[in-house]
């Protein structure tokens, strides 16, 4: 990957999400908000690449397929990472 700040940006989003978890706001609710914001941002990003709503509509399924495939790859990669590193990741630091 030739994007030197990719993981820094991702970590900033994760840090913000972790900060939002509290006694009254669950991890699941924070996850839902993060997924919604990602979907909303990607819809906007996609719209920026088209000249009209009609053009965007014509490519809707292609756009959805692209983002779903990319999310699936990233989720599988991260779940595999947690499976391989479960103990160190899930054991609280002393």
């Amino acid at each position: 990957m030739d994007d030197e700040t990719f993981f820094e940006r991702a970590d900033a989003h994760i840090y913000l999400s972790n900060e939002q978890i509290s006694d009254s706001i669950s991890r699941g609710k924070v996850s839902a908000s993060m997924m919604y914001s990602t979907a909303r941002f990607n819809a906007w990003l996609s719209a920026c690449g088209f000249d009209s709503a009609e053009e965007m509509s014509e490519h809707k399924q292609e756009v959805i397929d692209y983002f779903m495939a990319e999310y699936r790859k990233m989720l599988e990669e991260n779940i595999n990472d947690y499976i391989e590193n479960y103990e160190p990741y899930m054991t609280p630091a002393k």
Side-chain angles (χ1 to χ4, degrees):
M1 178 179 303
D2 57 346
D3 183 348
E4 295 177 12
T5 61
F6 177 87
F7 290 109
E8 289 176 31
R9 290 189 312 274
D11 287 346
H13 289 284
I14 293 167
Y15 179 81
L16 174 62
S17 291
N18 284 332
E19 288 292 305
Q20 293 177 348
I21 297 168
S22 68
D23 290 339
S24 61
I25 303 173
S26 69
R27 293 181 297 245
K29 286 183 178 182
V30 172
S31 175
S33 296
M34 183 184 232
M35 284 194 294
Y36 179 84
S37 64
T38 298
R40 186 73 181 169
F41 183 84
N42 287 332
W44 169 80
L45 175 71
S46 299
C48 290
F50 297 106
D51 293 324
S52 68
E54 293 79 17
E55 183 185 6
M56 187 175 183
S57 181
E58 290 172 16
H59 295 277
K60 177 182 171 182
Q61 194 58 52
E62 179 184 335
V63 169
I64 290 170
D65 290 346
Y66 168 77
F67 283 111
M68 296 299 290
E70 290 301 305
Y71 180 77
R72 182 178 191 88
K73 285 190 289 190
M74 291 177 189
L75 182 59
E76 286 179 356
E77 178 183 310
N78 280 283
I79 286 177
N80 287 336
D81 184 42
Y82 265 81
I83 290 169
E84 293 169 14
N85 297 287
Y86 188 86
E87 290 301 322
Y89 286 176
M90 300 306 291
T91 303
K94 294 182 180 182

